[in-house]
Amino acid sequence: MTRIPFAPVLAASLAALTLAACSPGGGGALSAGLTQRMDQPGATLNAAEAIGIINHFRTASGVPPVSMDSGLNGSAQALATAYAKTGNTPKLPATLVVIRTSAGYGDFAETFSGWRNSPADAAGLTERSANKAGIGVAYDPNSTYGVYWVLLLDD
């Protein structure tokens, strides 16, 4: 009989429940906006749903939610596009509070899970002074990782 370690199974179950609780209706499968594959031409991120997941995480962590900002969305998209073209991780612009980046994840649910499970990224997601956010994603099939993500948080 093979024994499955309890802690990893519990952690995976809690992660799935947390993401499911953030979907419309509070349960079941994740919405298409969170699982839409970005590793295909013409894919469009549902930024409002992505920021909603981040806000759920922020609220559960005891910090206020952020509002989506169209200017930050534009900046995040430009940085993600440059990231995909060069493979160089963007640097935090001096005027911003937080930048989170990621590469290789095909959809937002996977990207968010990676950020949430990294202590440094989770700390950035829950930066108390942030009150607005923007997110961008770019796909380049000829690049090393294919999909590149940038999240910007500002006060």
Side-chain angles (χ1 to χ4, degrees):
M1 180 168 121
T2 303
R3 295 189 64 130
I4 300 173
F6 180 72
V9 171
L10 178 61
S13 298
L14 289 174
L17 288 172
T18 298
L19 283 173
C22 296
S23 66
L30 292 174
S31 75
L34 299 174
T35 59
Q36 168 68 39
R37 298 294 303 184
M38 296 291 116
D39 54 358
Q40 52 192 321
T44 303
L45 174 67
N46 185 327
E49 285 192 45
I51 299 299
I53 288 291
I54 291 165
N55 279 333
H56 185 296
F57 182 73
R58 287 176 61 85
T59 302
S61 299
V63 297
V66 292
S67 59
M68 188 165 53
D69 181 89
S70 61
L72 284 178
N73 270 346
S75 296
Q77 187 59 54
L79 288 170
T81 299
Y83 188 16
K85 286 188 184 332
T86 67
N88 297 324
T89 304
K91 303 295 183 232
L92 178 65
T95 59
L96 294 176
V97 174
V98 172
I99 183 172
R100 297 278 58 106
T101 62
S102 189
Y105 292 113
D107 61 43
F108 181 75
E110 293 172 350
T111 303
F112 173 75
S113 289
W115 285 336
R116 182 194 61 217
N117 292 323
S118 160
D121 288 336
L125 292 174
T126 57
E127 171 57 47
R128 187 168 292 280
S129 67
N131 62 36
K132 55 187 177 178
I135 189 164
V137 60
Y139 171 60
D140 183 343
N142 299 315
S143 66
T144 302
Y145 295 105
V147 183
Y148 297 79
W149 300 86
V150 173
L151 172 69
L152 302 176
L153 300 176
D154 203 6
D155 55 7

